[in-house]
Amino acid sequence: MADSSFDIVSKVDHQEVDNALNQAAKEVSQRFDFKNTDTTIAWRGENGIEITSSTQERCSAALDVLKDKLVKRKVSLKALDADEPRPSGKETKISCTLKAGISRDQASKLNKLIRDTGPKGVKSQVMGEELRVSAKKRDDLQAVQQLVRDADLDFAVQFVNYR
């Protein structure tokens, strides 16, 4: 019998993020506490989001609205990297970036976690920006998935290509 396998990746569903961003922008434009603050939430490039407001407090509140919408759409907040509010002329801005892909350091951290505490007979190897995990038994793979879910990682992970 051939080995079963799956891939551990760190990706962001851009459609869900776009939906969350549009919902947050609509809520900010309609809420009373954002009236006359010129608060906007918009895309900046492929993986960037910029929040602009007249005050630092409203800018931070708009970021909280965006985070709330992302959580409701099941997008991990670990994929969102928000900078500190910075003054820009008469307004304040917050730049956010979406993180995707598993770096070498993160992959080696996952490899060590699987090797040290995972079931015996499980192999893992780095393939670009993802990590392939294989084993003879599917139960071992499910145990590895649970192990990775329970680990306190500083990046979002998904499991794909389960065969």
Side-chain angles (χ1 to χ4, degrees), residues 68-81:
D68 184 48
K69 298 301 179 187
L70 287 171
V71 167
K72 285 184 180 175
R73 300 206 66 89
K74 296 186 177 29
V75 176
S76 175
L77 291 181
K78 292 179 181 179
L80 182 73
D81 186 22

Side-chain angles (χ1 to χ4, degrees), residues 15-158:
Q15 187 60 51
E16 290 297 329
V17 174
D18 189 46
N19 291 341
L21 186 136
N22 290 334
Q23 287 176 345
K26 184 175 181 181
E27 182 174 325
V28 162
S29 71
Q30 292 176 345
R31 272 185 32 185
F32 179 76
D33 56 337
F34 286 104
K35 202 173 243 22
N36 299 327
T37 59
D38 297 324
T39 303
T40 59
I41 302 173
W43 282 106
R44 289 289 171 251
E46 182 75 20
N47 290 323
I49 299 171
E50 188 167 78
I51 301 171
T52 308
S53 184
S54 59
T55 66
Q56 184 173 341
E57 293 79 23
R58 290 297 97 204
C59 213
S60 297
L63 177 62
D64 291 340
V65 170
L66 176 64
K67 286 180 178 180
D68 184 48
K69 298 301 179 187
L70 287 171
V71 167
K72 285 184 180 175
R73 300 206 66 89
K74 296 186 177 29
V75 176
S76 175
L77 291 181
K78 292 179 181 179
L80 182 73
D81 186 22
D83 294 339
E84 291 297 316
R86 68 184 190 288
S88 175
K90 290 185 178 181
E91 50 191 30
T92 303
K93 295 183 178 186
I94 296 178
S95 297
C96 306
T97 54
L98 297 173
K99 298 184 285 187
I102 298 176
S103 70
R104 282 262 177 232
D105 293 341
Q106 294 167 336
S108 64
K109 186 177 177 182
L110 275 174
N111 254 338
K112 184 171 176 18
L113 175 74
I114 292 168
R115 189 177 53 244
D116 292 348
T117 58
K120 299 295 178 219
V122 175
K123 297 179 290 243
S124 60
Q125 64 186 35
V126 178
M127 299 177 62
E129 290 189 342
E130 50 189 53
L131 188 74
R132 170 135 319 146
V133 180
S134 58
K136 296 255 185 238
K137 297 184 207 166
R138 288 181 177 239
D139 290 344
D140 290 345
L141 292 180
Q142 289 175 343
V144 169
Q145 285 182 351
Q146 192 60 46
L147 176 73
V148 172
R149 276 189 205 105
D150 293 342
D152 186 27
L153 302 172
D154 58 345
F155 55 97
V157 294
Q158 295 85 29

